[in-house]
Amino acid sequence: MAHAVNRLSRFNVTALALGLAFLYLPIVILVIFSFNASRLVNVWGGWSLRWYVEFFNDRAMLAAAWMSLRVAAVSATLATLLGTLAAVGLARGERFAGRALFSGMLYSPLVMPEVISGLSLLLLFVALNAERGFWTVTVAHTTLTMCFVTVVVQSRLTSLDRSLEEAAMDLGCNPVKAFLLVTLPLIIPAIVAGWMLAFTLSLDDVVIASFTTGPGSATLPIRIYSEVRLGVKPEINAICTLVIALIAVLIVVASFASKLSSSQGESAAPL
């Protein structure tokens, strides 16, 4: 029996190693080749920061990157706010009229093809005679990512012990104050995770942004896609490496903030 367990353990380790290699080996290769001095992306020519310098001298690419960061930050913040409110309504309002319809409409973007979402939003903006640009892309990304935030926050809310809120109300807190002082600190990690998910989904989106953007407001993924169609330039590797570094920094900061808020929430819960 012990021998069988050891064999199973080695199999699991091997499978995990192969899975991680399949996921992360292409990223490692991309990062290494971003420091390639050669103009050919598949020929190693020595270590160099040449393509990072090229990127920071490329005004069109910098403008697209700044556009993507602004859209991602604003849409993630709006999606987190609206998604958290929707999650609270679904988790705390089990019996309100139209809950099933509201839940279905909220979760439908999760399974709806992005082409349909992008086309429908384009038709909406055309009907409203809205000028396509920063705000149309931001609204579209908020619509796309809000449902993901709702799923993350709602799963955390449903796992919480509601007796903590009830105890706070028994001690004199009204429902709003009990939520702010007891529940909110406990769901901060889920809110942070939802914001990060919304931010990365917005950075990654090409389809919906291509429908809702306008002249002079192309996002970074659209710009990269238009460049790649003509051939992969080493500069693209440098851009992708910087995006990976940004996401890694966000993960570390969010992890630290989540641990800090969790410890604060646990220490405040008995009060």
Side-chain angles (χ1 to χ4, degrees):
M1 178 64 73
H3 181 64
V5 171
N6 290 334
R7 288 181 59 188
L8 181 61
S9 177
R10 287 195 295 270
F11 173 78
N12 289 340
V13 171
T14 303
L16 178 61
L18 291 175
L20 291 176
F22 178 78
L23 290 174
Y24 292 105
L25 187 59
I27 297 176
V28 172
I29 295 173
L30 181 145
V31 171
I32 293 174
F33 272 86
S34 70
F35 298 99
N36 186 12
S38 173
R39 183 174 291 275
L40 301 176
V41 294
N42 58 348
V43 177
W44 182 254
W47 297 94
S48 174
L49 295 175
R50 171 186 178 184
W51 303 112
Y52 290 90
V53 176
E54 289 283 340
F55 167 65
F56 285 108
N57 289 328
D58 190 340
R59 293 190 176 183
M61 197 68 77
L62 286 175
W66 177 237
M67 176 73 175
S68 286
L69 289 175
R70 288 190 296 146
V71 168
V74 176
S75 64
T77 302
L78 293 175
T80 301
L81 177 62
L82 297 175
T84 301
L85 293 175
V88 172
L90 291 173
R92 295 292 186 262
E94 296 88 348
R95 298 182 181 178
F96 69 87
R99 183 182 186 278
L101 177 62
F102 176 72
S103 178
M105 294 178 64
L106 186 65
Y107 294 146
S108 59
L110 289 170
V111 295
M112 187 178 298
E114 290 188 0
V115 173
I116 297 177
S117 299
L119 181 59
S120 61
L121 287 167
L122 172 62
L123 296 176
L124 173 64
F125 294 141
V126 170
L128 295 176
N129 197 25
E131 182 179 357
R132 283 178 287 163
F134 170 80
W135 285 110
T136 54
V137 180
T138 300
V139 171
H141 284 186
T142 302
T143 305
L144 169 69
T145 57
M146 184 182 69
C147 53
F148 291 91
V149 177
T150 303
V151 170
V152 174
V153 177
Q154 186 184 2
S155 63
R156 175 59 175 159
L157 279 169
T158 53
S159 65
L160 289 181
D161 187 0
R162 296 189 64 174
S163 62
L164 297 174
E165 264 187 72
E166 295 170 356
M169 289 187 284
D170 289 339
L171 293 174
C173 290
N174 57 46
V176 175
K177 189 175 181 180
F179 176 82
L180 294 176
L181 295 180
V182 177
T183 305
L184 185 60
L186 296 175
I187 65 172
I188 283 292
I191 294 175
V192 173
W195 187 92
M196 284 190 56
L197 180 60
F199 184 86
T200 53
L201 286 172
S202 177
L203 278 183
D204 178 66
D205 177 68
V206 175
V207 178
I208 292 180
S210 64
F211 278 101
T212 57
T213 191
S217 58
T219 59
L220 184 60
I222 293 177
R223 182 75 184 182
I224 291 175
Y225 180 71
S226 64
E227 295 278 350
V228 168
R229 286 188 301 174
L230 303 176
V232 179
K233 298 193 304 183
E235 183 184 349
I236 303 299
N237 294 339
I239 297 169
C240 294
T241 301
L242 291 174
V243 173
I244 293 170
L246 173 63
I247 298 302
V249 170
L250 287 176
I251 291 174
V252 172
V253 173
S255 177
F256 177 77
S258 299
K259 290 180 180 179
L260 182 61
S261 61
S262 297
S263 61
Q264 290 177 348
E266 290 174 359
S267 63
L271 299 178

